[in-house]
Structure formats: C-alpha cells, structure tokens
Amino acid sequence: MTEMVISTDEKSVWERGKNLLSANLINITALISFVILGVFLIWPVTALFLKSIQGPEGFTLHYYREFLTKSYYYRSFFNTLFLGILTTSVCVFVGFCTAYMTTRGPVYLRKALRIISLLPIIAPPYIFALSLIILMGRSGILTKTFDLSWSIYGFVGCVIAQTLSFLPLAYIMIENSLSTLNPNLEDSASNLGASEQKILRSITIPLCAPGILKAALIVFVLSIAEFGNVALLSGRTPFLAPDVYIMITGAESNFNMGSVLSVFLMIPCLAIFLIQGYIIKGKGYTTILGKPVAAEPRSISTPMLIIFAPVTILAALLILITFGVVGAGAFTKIIGINNTFVWEHILSTRADSALFNSVKISLITGFLGAVVGIILAYVIERGKFKGRTFLEFLSLSGFALPGTALAIGYILAFSKPPLHLTGTLIILVLCCVFREFVVGVEAGSGKLKQLSTEMEDASANLGANTVTTFWRIVLPIIFPAFIYGFIYGFMRTMVTLSAVIFLATPRTYMASIFIFETGTFGELGLACATSLKLILIVAISLIVLQFLSRWTGLSVTRSQGVGAA
Amino acid sequence: MSGSEKKIMLDLKNIRKSFGNVMVLKGVSAQIREGELATFVGPSGCGKTTLLRIIGGLTNQDSGDVIVDGQNINNVTPDKRGTQMCFQNYALFPHMTVAQNVGYGLDVHGWEKSRTKERVEELLGLVQLQGLGNRYIEKLSGGQQQRVALARALALEPKILLLDEPLSNLDANLRVQMRGTLLEIQKRVGITTIFVTHDQSEAMSISDRLFVMNKGNIEQIGSPLEIYQSPNSAFIAGFVGYVNILGGTIKKHPGKETEELCAAVKTDFGSLDIVTNGICLEEGNKIDLVVRPEAIRILPPKQSLGVNEFKGRVKTMMYAGSMVKYVVEIGDTRIIVDQFDPINEGLHEVGQECCVIMPQKVHVLNQ
C-alpha cells in the first residue's frame, strides 16, 4: 500500500520526515492504538486479575480457595451460568418464532410484531424488572388482585426480564439469517413434497444454524454480565453480578473477593467470545445466487402458526405491558396502592442533573467511541503489520467484557498516580468508550470491506499521500459508519448500568443509577418517570439515526451490537 | 411437423398474470406434447419465467387454466402437480451431500432407505455422476451441480420437467457441452420438458419446438427450422440470429413457377429477383425481405454484375477464425455478410471494394 517515494532532488529534513510519516502512518497509528488499548483495556483487566491473587503478604490463592469452597460463592457462579442457559434458550426460541412470523407469517401482523420486538432497544434493560415488580412484586398489582402466592423473585423473574430485554438482539440476528436464506431452497423442498415441519427441520433451521448459534452466544454473554434486572429481581437467589456489587459497595469493601468474583464473571464471557471468534466466524452457508425472482409473499402453514403465533404475540404483549406499566407508574402517586393521577413524578427535578450528566457523558462517549472505532477499523482492515489479528481481537473484546468486571478493573488500575482518575468524569467516559467503541469498529469494518482498496490505490496513484487519501476518499465513504457508531454509542451509554454503577460519584451521577436506586428503595413513581424521560431521549436519537441512515445509505438493523448491559 | 399422434401433456389456456400495474402475461395459450422438449424463449421481461413458475405452481395466475395430462391443476400445490422445477441457481441444499439432495424427495415420501439408495444410484448413473454420492455440494463444479439438480428433479418421475435457464450460470464452453448432456438425458428418459432461456442459440440447438415470447405474448410457435427460416415478424427474425431486413416494393410479378412465386423487388440499392413461397405478392406491395448473413456471398469486385449481384465496400470486418463477419455498404444500405472458410475464399479488408451476391430464395414479410 505504501511505496517508497523515489526522487532525486534534495529534500529538507522536514520534508523527508513528513514523507516518512505519511508512508508509515498506518503503522504508527497501529502502534498508538496498541498502546491505548493496552492502557485502557488490557491493564485494567490485568489489575483485576492481579488483585484477585494479591493478599496482605503478596501472592495468594486464598481468595480463590474461598470462592471454590464457600457454597454461597460457587452456587452464585452456577446460578449465573444456569440463568445464562435458561435465558438463552427462551430468548433464542422466542426470537426465532418472532423472526419466522415476521418473514412468513400473516402479512398484517408482520410490521407490528417487528416494531414491538425491537422496542426494548430504546429502553434501559431494567424497566422489565421494574414492571415485573410493580405487577407481581410483594405488593404488586396482580399479586394483590389475584392473591398470588407465587414469587417473581429468583430465576423466573430474571429469565422473563432478560428474555424481553435481549429479544431485539436475538430477533435481529435470526431474522437476518432467515431473510437471506434463498427462498428457492424451501420451494425446492416443498416441490419435492416436504411439509412445512419437515422443511423447518431439514432445511430452514440447519441453514440458519450459524446465525442462531451466534445469537445464542451473544445472549448468553449478555445474560451473565447483566446487572440491572438481576439485581432487582434476584431476591434470595445469589447471582454473580449483584454479588460483586454487594462485595464492593457493601459495608466491608472487599476488593479482593470482588476481583475474584469478577474474574469468574469474565471467564465464561471470554471463553464464549473466543469460541465465537474462531469457530463460528466465516461459517455460514452462502445461499443467495443468481438473479432475484419476483417473489410472492411467503406464507406459513396453520400447524406452524398455532405454535409460533401465541409465543410471539405473548412476548409482544409483555413488552407493551411493560412500557404501559412504566408509563402508568410515572403518572400515578404510588402505583398499585394509590392510583391517583399526578404530575409530581414527571415534573420532579431530582433526576435532572443525573439526566443531564447521562446525556453529557453519552455524547462524549458516542463521539470518542466512534472516532476510535473508525480509526481502528481502518488500521485493522488496511494495515499489514505484525499483530494485526491480535489488535482485531482486542477491539472486539469490549463486547465480551462484563461491565462490572471492567469497571472494577478501572478502579483498581486508575486509583493511583500516574493516572489517578477515580471519581472523575474521565474514568466514566473512558470505561464506556472502551466498551462501546466495538460498534464503531464493526460498522467501520463493514463499510471498509465494501470499499475496494483499488479506490485508495487510484488515489495514491494520482499523487495523494495516506492522509489525503484517508481524508478525501475513505472518510466520506465511511462517514455513515461514524454516524452509526456515534448514535449507537450514545444510546447504549445512556442506558448502561453495570459499568457505571461503580464508577459514578455524587458529582458524576447518571440517570440509570438514579433509576436503579429509586427503584430499589421503592420510589417506583420516580423510577418510572425518569425511565420515561430516558426512553424519550433514546427514542429521539434512534429516530435521528434512522433518518440519517436513510440519508447516507447505511442500514441500521443489519448489524450486531444491539444489546445493552 | 408431425407429432400430433402424441398426447397433449400440458395445455395452457389463456393465462393472465399481473404484478402490480404491469401485465406480465397477456392471455397465453399453448399445448405441449408428451416427450417434447419445448422452449420458451424471449428477451428479458417477456414473461417466460413467470409462465414457468405458474406451470410449476410457485406463482398463481390471475386467470386461465393449467391442465396437465387432462387434469386441471389450477389449485393444486406444487408437489402434487406432476411437475418438477429446476431452478436457475440449482437450489441444492448446501448442508447435504449429493446423495442426500437427490434422495430428498424420496425420503420425504417415506421410501425405505434401501430403495432410496438404489434409486439414487440409478439417477446418478443417468446423469453421469456415479460415485459422487458422498460429496458435498460446494465441492462440485457448476456442471456437476446442474446435473445433481436434474437428478433430484427426476427422482420422483414427474410428468413435466421445468428448467429455468439451467445453463446461464455456466461459462461458455461448459454451456455448449451441457446442452448436449441435457438433451441426451431428456431423450433417454423421454420426459416432457419445458426449457426457459433468453439465449436463442441454446434454444435453437436443443428444442423440438420453440415458443418465442415477447411482452407477455407468444409471437410464434414452431420448430427451430421453421422459426429461423420463416419468422413471423422482424422482431423474431432478429431475435433468433443476425439478419438483414431489407425493405422494398414488388415491381414485377410474373406469376407462379412450380410451387414458388417469383417477383422482382425494387430496393434502395437496386433490383432483386426473388423466389419465395408463402405470402401473396401483388405489384406495388411494400414488403420486407429477411436475408440471413450466411446466405449472402462476398467476392472480389467484378466488372459486369449479374442478377442479384451488387457492388459494395467493406465497412468493418470481424475475424472469428472459422468465419468472418463483414458489414458491407451498398450505396447507403448496410448489410451484414458472413463468410466461411475465409482462408480459402480470401479475406476482404476494410475499405476495399467487393462484389456481393444476394440469394434468390428469401423469406418475405409484409410491412
């Protein structure tokens, strides 16, 4: 990509320096990227790991022993894994049913189902917990009306809440697989006499398997790492993420045990990330070939409809009910107990500074994340240097690291000089940036892959150096990816809880923490009202994203990175 | 051509189909006989693929009947119509082996494993893929995949085989080779086949009958010879090969000589004596002469020109080894002339003068 500038006239040191810089710009940027990622990604994780084996007298495995012997801890670990498996199974199943219904079900249902299934994207994930508590908590509306003795706390509540909040992600990935399936394959099978069940079993599902598996792995990681829903609904059942919270913010701040717990939280996530990266990547059946046919809308047979429709409609109803309950909670004095209509929650200004902080931090994060993401994407896609694959791996790992673990790592890494950042806005921003920039990298890579290197070669041929080429050719074309990374980073940071709950201080308070705390302390009206405001802000940004993407031609929904934790 | 003794396997009655505001099929009727290889051919958008899909039951017609072997199958699902479709992109199941693909239909119909295995081997032998049963589809070449798709379609012994541009995805040499293979298999099995293509030379070389379509209508039905020699219109004439359409007026009409009519035609570049059967020629009629490039001879310039001989100048020349395609200007008229065996006949360079001999036997269209 870079060529020696062969010239015979004398050049000044400055000119030669500039040429050298330009020729090696990618390599230099790559080096800087390594350093940055090293400091802000690898170092905190290492600090976390080190703390877990560090005792008063130096190296010790005492805390690990505690973890593995005290039944409370390892039960917490297995509960977390089990929750992951349960949530993944249910969520992927519902996601598949929904995707099937929106691609083949009755036409009049498709659009509505699709929109409702994507609705949880604009909301903080823990509103599902809030809504479940309002309806079926100890003094929940349904609990009192129907005198239910059944408790929503524990596995049941967590699975329901998590399934609904991760549904959009599973849905998008599976729907992507289903809709890129060559319709001729199912036509052929049908032509040869296969019933819809047979086609589903022998053709559709096997060919969508890579997409379904990918969705499953991502939901699993998100489920393990998620804090909000689990903390609110776990009841007496121990789970790792809330346990880390209790450990660190409790009366005796035990960072050692906290780090051990975080390490155990990280291990399954990283393992799955590796599986996903090395085994699943690139595996997929290319089934679309040849010219598209003017196709009639596909249809679903009745036996399948009987199975898929109720599942999908139930999930959609639950989502709508959740939003409804949150809406109702915002406008009633104490929902379930005193249902008078009030404005006080909505008009309360207690959440204002938190909301303002959230917006401020999210904007900065979105911007920085997108910048870092795009630059990294360029370096990874176009660079040829040793360690390129490792850099790629590092960039994508942000998605796999649980927010809680990374946050603790940040506290441990940056609580002392030379980088004493704890308590500042900077640490919050940095932690969010290094979790969210992965979206920018993915979007940027996607766009760059579409952009042929020949265009850049042509530019170089015509005399432009690396910087000019990047600025005038590459950047305008990958600009949509930047926008996408920015708004996505913004949205996710607005609703994120697990990372920020450890890093925020009274000065850098964020809306999601406010909602969580008011929710935990029973001020449900305020929690709902603030959630509504948060949802509104995020919804507006999503509409802006839709508008911008249509304008610049980048598709919003065909991508990863939709979940929030 | 003969063949009316064979029964009608497919009867299409007045098929109409619109997509939105566009009427893609405007009342198409046709009859295909048992064992015939019939080709629907025409330019993109003429409706041929839609018609094929309607026959196969993958698309529903707005009105009209599809009758297979005497039975009206309008509302019958694709798997029970007696038709099997081979898609342009083969639609082979990528996660299954060749044997699993070919045997899929049998499997679905509950055949027991040993019987399926036997039949699959028989079919693989038919399409000359014996021994490749355990390969996965992506490891096969285009031509091999094509044959697997064929074997899969033939497994259930359908009454009619529907081929949707089966050779379009193959490169040029392979395509020609596969034409022969397809034809051979079709004749051996004796199955009524409907072939859809936009490639006229493909259509001509393998079909028993051609159905030439344009803009939702069938414009002419006939054997390749009939269509090529006696096209109904300038469009069809041009579609099935290079052609010179020369306009002229009947000048003299001396009457019948044997079975054929003779006339003299006045064209822009001179007078032609023609001999043709078919349409009635009256003096003063305006007609179009359909003259194929291979029927015109090109010679070095002559001093004295005889009947149907004209002086011309070579405008362009395309040398293709076994033949040369010239564009020759006679006055203001440009005609395409094919010359075979150019080495022995002598090449004519661009800009040179030449003598062009027009044929007497030509096909005539009314203007």
Side-chain angles (χ1 to χ4, degrees), chain A residues 182 184-195 198-199 202-203 206-207 285 287 289-291 293-296, chain B residues 17 19 53 58-59 78-79 83-85 87-89 91-96 104-105 107-109 152 156 165:
Chain A
N182 184 353
N184 283 344
L185 290 175
E186 287 164 315
D187 281 346
S188 283
S190 163
N191 226 358
L192 293 162
S195 64
K198 175 89 177 147
I199 296 179
S202 61
I203 310 287
L207 288 176
Y285 297 105
T287 57
L289 293 163
K291 65 177 199 273
V293 178
E296 319 244 310
Chain B
K17 177 70 180 175
F19 284 112
R53 287 176 65 88
L58 299 170
T59 303
D79 55 313
T83 61
Q84 276 298 330
M85 177 86 133
F87 295 93
Q88 183 181 359
N89 55 27
L92 295 174
F93 307 131
H95 57 304
M96 296 187 189
Y104 187 80
D107 195 39
V108 159
H109 280 86
R152 184 176 69 176
L156 291 169
E165 307 219 34

Side-chain angles (χ1 to χ4, degrees), chain B residues 92-234:
Chain B
L92 295 174
F93 307 131
H95 57 304
M96 296 187 189
T97 60
V98 167
Q100 286 169 332
N101 264 278
V102 174
Y104 187 80
L106 306 171
D107 195 39
V108 159
H109 280 86
W111 280 36
E112 55 165 15
K113 288 221 184 324
S114 54
R115 221 178 129 211
T116 306
K117 191 158 180 280
E118 236 183 84
R119 176 95 174 113
V120 167
E121 289 198 4
E122 191 190 323
L123 288 160
L124 289 181
L126 176 70
V127 299
Q128 289 166 32
L129 287 176
Q130 49 276 68
L132 292 177
N134 288 327
R135 287 260 180 104
Y136 277 90
I137 301 299
E138 54 184 17
K139 299 266 194 303
L140 298 179
S141 71
Q144 289 171 323
Q145 288 186 6
Q146 172 56 265
R147 283 177 276 157
V148 174
L150 199 56
R152 184 176 69 176
L154 291 173
L156 291 169
E157 293 187 320
K159 295 194 176 133
I160 304 181
L161 184 63
L162 306 172
L163 303 172
D164 184 8
E165 307 219 34
L167 307 179
S168 303
N169 286 344
L170 304 173
D171 62 36
N173 290 336
L174 191 55
R175 209 180 300 178
V176 176
Q177 205 184 326
M178 278 301 294
R179 279 185 214 168
T181 314
L182 265 181
L183 188 57
E184 196 193 306
I185 296 173
Q186 190 262 346
K187 288 287 173 256
R188 198 171 335 152
V189 177
I191 183 172
T192 314
T193 304
I194 303 185
F195 196 98
V196 158
T197 180
H198 61 271
D199 182 339
Q200 47 83 14
S201 69
E202 195 164 271
M204 301 269 280
S205 56
I206 62 172
S207 315
D208 290 325
R209 277 196 304 163
L210 288 178
F211 292 71
V212 184
M213 292 181 69
N214 191 24
K215 299 200 181 108
N217 285 314
I218 295 183
E219 291 215 357
Q220 189 170 359
I221 303 175
S223 71
L225 188 71
E226 284 165 4
I227 306 265
Y228 192 78
Q229 280 195 337
S230 318
N232 282 349
S233 67

